[in-house]
Amino acid sequence: MDTISTYKAKHGFGQFSPKAVLFDMDGVIYDSMPNHAKAWHQSMADYGLQMPLSGAYQYEGMRGVETIQLLARQQWARELSDDEARQMYAHKAELFAACPPAQLMPGIQQLMQQIKDDGLQICIVTGSAQRMMLDKLQSDLQGLVSPQLIVTALDVKRGKPNPEPYLKGMQKCGVEPWQSVVVENAPLGVRAAVAARCFTIAVNTGPLPTESLAQEGASLIFPRMTALSQAWKDFISNAHEREI
């Protein structure tokens, strides 16, 4: 059974008719995860919490406040208030802002242009709330990204791996799960997209094993964004041929 048939059977959908593509931001649109890893490691160390560089990839997709509260629960055995966690996250954001500007992932502009040319909507669904990156999105991807179709940590009560961010993205696009494709790079992000019943494509741009993405239910996995861009035409053509 091919990936589209498997997806439809898993969720009980009679059709798969893509109308919107929902993109995560860090590690998908921008090669920003190394900067995040450094900022997380240093900022948490400043407060006495351990956050190895790999932890940024492990918890990627969660809202920053929730990540800090989880670390405090695990290492300090106590609950941090939202205000305490926000103060600590602000320090992390300052360190991230001091890093060299992150570059666009190779292949992302070509992929988005293909999607736009195919008449599909593009929505950004990120666990970030950092204004610098969100403003950069619209500047670097002018004509491809709309401010009306961006979901951030400020728009949801529960971040990834909860499906709420992707449910919110679909709501903004006015589409159903069987009309949606998600592009993710993080296990928790894949889990959120699968829970929202979207067709989920993972691109493994980080150091985590590919199995970590497969185990969360990704329908397709690519080793880099350029590979997905090259495969997009065949993928969308196959999807359209199967519409009933």
Side-chain angles (χ1 to χ4, degrees), residues 24-28 30-41 44 50-63 67 70-71 92 96 99 102 105 160-161 184-191 203-210 212-213 216 223:
D24 179 40
M25 182 175 71
D26 292 301
V28 172
Y30 287 107
D31 188 13
S32 50
M33 284 308 298
N35 288 351
H36 278 294
K38 293 175 184 176
W40 271 116
H41 175 71
M44 293 303 98
Q50 296 179 12
M51 174 66 126
L53 295 176
S54 61
Y57 298 88
Q58 179 184 352
Y59 299 116
E60 183 186 354
M62 291 182 68
R63 295 192 311 154
T67 300
L70 176 61
L71 292 175
K92 180 265 175 183
F96 177 77
C99 293
M105 278 288 182
K160 305 171 188 176
E184 264 284 355
N185 72 306
L188 296 185
V190 170
R191 188 188 304 176
V203 184
N204 194 6
T205 60
L208 299 180
T210 299
S212 65
L213 299 168
E216 296 293 353

Side-chain angles (χ1 to χ4, degrees), residues 9 21 30 51 86 91 127 159 169 176 185 193 204 210 219 232:
V21 182
Y30 287 107
M51 174 66 126
R86 275 195 288 266
H91 179 46
E176 300 294 334
N185 72 306
N204 194 6
T210 299
S219 293
W232 178 259

Side-chain angles (χ1 to χ4, degrees), residues 94-174:
E94 290 176 356
L95 294 182
F96 177 77
C99 293
Q103 301 301 307
L104 288 169
M105 278 288 182
I108 189 63
Q109 284 178 296
Q110 295 91 326
L111 175 59
M112 286 189 170
Q113 189 62 57
Q114 288 174 282
I115 291 168
K116 182 180 179 181
D117 292 344
D118 287 332
L120 278 67
Q121 298 181 81
I122 294 173
C123 182
I124 312 302
V125 180
T126 175
S128 175
Q130 294 181 197
R131 192 75 256 167
M132 177 186 71
M133 291 298 291
L134 299 174
D135 291 342
K136 186 174 168 59
L137 261 179
Q138 298 172 59
S139 173
D140 290 347
L141 297 167
Q142 193 169 10
L144 296 172
V145 172
S146 164
Q148 290 76 33
L149 294 181
I150 298 177
V151 177
T152 76
L154 302 178
D155 298 313
V156 298
K157 293 182 179 179
R158 295 165 295 180
K160 305 171 188 176
N162 190 282
E164 184 182 352
Y166 283 113
L167 294 174
K168 188 79 170 181
M170 286 188 284
Q171 182 182 27
K172 286 196 172 192
C173 292

Side-chain angles (χ1 to χ4, degrees), residues 73-93:
R73 196 176 301 125
Q74 292 173 337
Q75 298 179 33
W76 291 345
R78 74 178 181 92
E79 295 293 328
L80 286 184
S81 69
D82 287 351
D83 286 342
E84 287 178 291
R86 275 195 288 266
Q87 180 180 357
M88 295 168 69
Y89 183 70
H91 179 46
K92 180 265 175 183

Side-chain angles (χ1 to χ4, degrees), residues 186-200:
L188 296 185
V190 170
R191 188 188 304 176
V194 172
R197 303 193 298 164
C198 301
F199 187 97
T200 307

